[in-house]
Amino acid sequence: MPYLADLETDSNGDIITQPLTGWTTATLAGIAVLLAFQCVETPLELETGSSKSIQLVLTPEQCLDLAERLTELAISLLEVQSYPGKPAN
């Protein structure tokens, strides 16, 4: 699993992010899962509705691992938002 230091950064050292505008999922040949993320790179793309897509193929095990980690992170954030005095980590 990559660490934050492994993420792509800009010249200031800030992590480069792109807003997620949608996703598509499907099974492939009964053995894998297709996961396509649609995202935008600029505010203009967000306004015009144009987007780019990255298409990934995951094993069932990778899907379960990803779902578990995303769920853990989402729950952690929701708990912090519910109790503002609680530390994030």
Side-chain angles (χ1 to χ4, degrees):
M1 175 180 286
Y3 295 95
L4 289 180
D6 297 331
L7 297 175
E8 187 178 349
T9 58
D10 63 17
S11 60
N12 294 322
D14 296 323
I15 296 172
I16 298 171
T17 62
Q18 299 173 343
L20 182 67
T21 59
W23 64 85
T24 302
T25 58
T27 58
L28 294 175
I31 60 169
V33 172
L34 168 71
L35 174 58
F37 289 119
Q38 291 81 42
C39 60
V40 296
E41 294 180 345
T42 68
L44 180 59
E45 289 176 343
L46 196 54
E47 290 177 21
T48 62
S50 64
S51 65
K52 296 179 176 40
S53 180
I54 181 168
Q55 298 169 175
L56 308 169
V57 175
L58 294 88
T59 65
E61 294 80 10
Q62 288 173 316
C63 291
L64 292 172
D65 289 345
L66 178 59
E68 181 179 355
R69 184 62 178 145
L70 289 172
T71 299
E72 290 169 357
L73 291 170
I75 289 170
S76 173
L77 288 174
L78 291 171
E79 286 175 351
V80 169
Q81 292 169 6
S82 295
Y83 305 101
K86 181 180 177 187
N89 289 328

